[in-house]
Amino acid sequence: MSVIVYTESENGKFKKNAFEVASYAAEVAKQLGTTATAVSINCTENESLGTYGISKVLNVQNEALKPFNAKAAAEVVSKAIEAENATVVIVSSSSDAKYMAPLLAATLKAGYAPNVVAAPESLSPFQVKRTAFSNKGFAHTVIDTDIKIVGVSNNAFGTVEIPTDASVEDFNVSLDSEFNTKSTNIDKVVGKATIADADIVVSAGRGLKGPENWGMIEELADVLGAATACSKPVSDLGWRPHGEHVGQTGKPVASNLYIAIGISGAIQHLAGVSASKTKVVINNDPEAPFFKAADYGIVGDAFEVVPELIEKLKEFKAQNS
């Protein structure tokens, strides 16, 4: 019996969340007194999972699985579960994983708990802590099915290095799925941190007054190694791509640091970013709702505060380089 973890990769490289779910799987395996086995699809750096406590990697190389297909991925993981006699399955909270996990749960008649933020609170019953009500509260959920699927929230558990000698075994899977859904074109931002993987997100709203002023937001993000984001009105106005819209109706953010500039803090936006660990707000309106949700706030003109912040950060980096 082992714990199975589905690790995501892109262009042969593991995504950041792969190492977090591997760390989580290693902890669950430790609690259960067993080992953690990873399912890796079309990745070339499988040995690196051993750094995070993975004992075995099932290496799947199949061109048909490029690009991601949720039904096919669920089938691969299902066969890995059968081969390893696993009872606990760990996945991330990425869009792909949230698409795949319910399909896997339906196939295996397994319980699925998404948005989990900590290691299991108990094993008998198997109980996990997860966010609920748009991250406004927590639920303590018991999974009582034979096979249990746990979806780990981004940046909730973190990465924990537990050096292990990971064996890599080829895992040849004959897929029964019909590929009814096919990707014909994929547009990706190249060379920039993505909202899903970023530890830091710099976001701005209508307080920037127009798309021509976004240069300082991009410069601040570049200095911090952050992803850029925006509020819904900004994307609706066409100032920024819809892919940067964060909030309850856009992409959820669970970064370690979220900087909101010129964003008043509508309830839908706050619900989508509340999982971020530290929230910093820059706004010239001291009554802006975002200040009530912020850990730190600066009341001031963004066109004065942000350039000065950039210069101070550059000085700090220069002194510590």
Side-chain angles (χ1 to χ4, degrees), residues 220 223-224 259 306 308-319:
L220 176 59
V223 172
L224 291 170
I259 303 176
V306 174
E308 186 171 346
L309 177 60
I310 291 170
E311 290 307 310
K312 293 296 183 182
L313 286 168
K314 286 181 177 179
E315 291 176 11
F316 178 80
K317 290 181 73 174
Q319 292 171 359

Side-chain angles (χ1 to χ4, degrees), residues 141-186:
T141 302
V142 172
I143 310 176
D144 58 7
T145 50
D146 292 337
I147 297 177
K148 303 158 180 64
I149 303 174
V150 178
V152 183
S153 288
N154 294 340
N155 287 322
F157 188 78
T159 54
V160 182
E161 294 191 6
I162 312 171
T164 307
D165 292 329
S167 63
V168 179
E169 300 180 6
D170 290 337
F171 190 62
N172 298 315
V173 179
S174 177
L175 296 175
D176 299 324
S177 296
E178 294 183 10
F179 289 73
N180 297 323
T181 302
K182 295 183 179 180
S183 298
T184 58
N185 186 53
I186 298 176

Side-chain angles (χ1 to χ4, degrees), residues 5-6 47 56 89 100 119 131 136 143 165 169 215 223 270:
V5 55
Y6 170 62
E47 292 81 1
K56 183 195 295 187
V89 184
M100 181 205 71
T131 56
K136 292 185 178 67
I143 310 176
D165 292 329
E169 300 180 6
V223 172
L270 293 177

Side-chain angles (χ1 to χ4, degrees), residues 47-193:
E47 292 81 1
S48 63
L49 291 174
T51 304
Y52 303 95
I54 299 301
S55 299
K56 183 195 295 187
V57 180
L58 299 179
N59 174 37
V60 179
Q61 296 294 325
N62 190 329
E63 289 295 319
L65 296 172
K66 296 180 181 179
F68 174 79
N69 180 291
K71 187 176 180 182
E75 190 173 336
V76 170
V77 177
S78 176
K79 292 186 177 182
I81 293 167
E82 182 181 1
E84 295 295 311
N85 191 29
T87 57
V88 179
V89 184
I90 311 299
V91 300
S92 76
S93 287
S94 70
S95 298
D96 287 350
K98 285 185 173 180
Y99 185 7
M100 181 205 71
L103 297 175
L104 182 63
T107 299
L108 301 175
K109 295 182 173 55
Y112 168 43
N115 307 319
V116 173
V117 296
E121 297 175 316
S122 66
L123 298 178
S124 184
F126 192 93
Q127 179 171 297
V128 291
K129 179 181 179 181
R130 47 191 292 267
T131 56
F133 306 113
S134 297
N135 297 315
K136 292 185 178 67
F138 294 103
H140 300 271
T141 302
V142 172
I143 310 176
D144 58 7
T145 50
D146 292 337
I147 297 177
K148 303 158 180 64
I149 303 174
V150 178
V152 183
S153 288
N154 294 340
N155 287 322
F157 188 78
T159 54
V160 182
E161 294 191 6
I162 312 171
T164 307
D165 292 329
S167 63
V168 179
E169 300 180 6
D170 290 337
F171 190 62
N172 298 315
V173 179
S174 177
L175 296 175
D176 299 324
S177 296
E178 294 183 10
F179 289 73
N180 297 323
T181 302
K182 295 183 179 180
S183 298
T184 58
N185 186 53
I186 298 176
D187 292 326
K188 288 186 176 291
V189 176
V190 179
K192 294 183 179 180

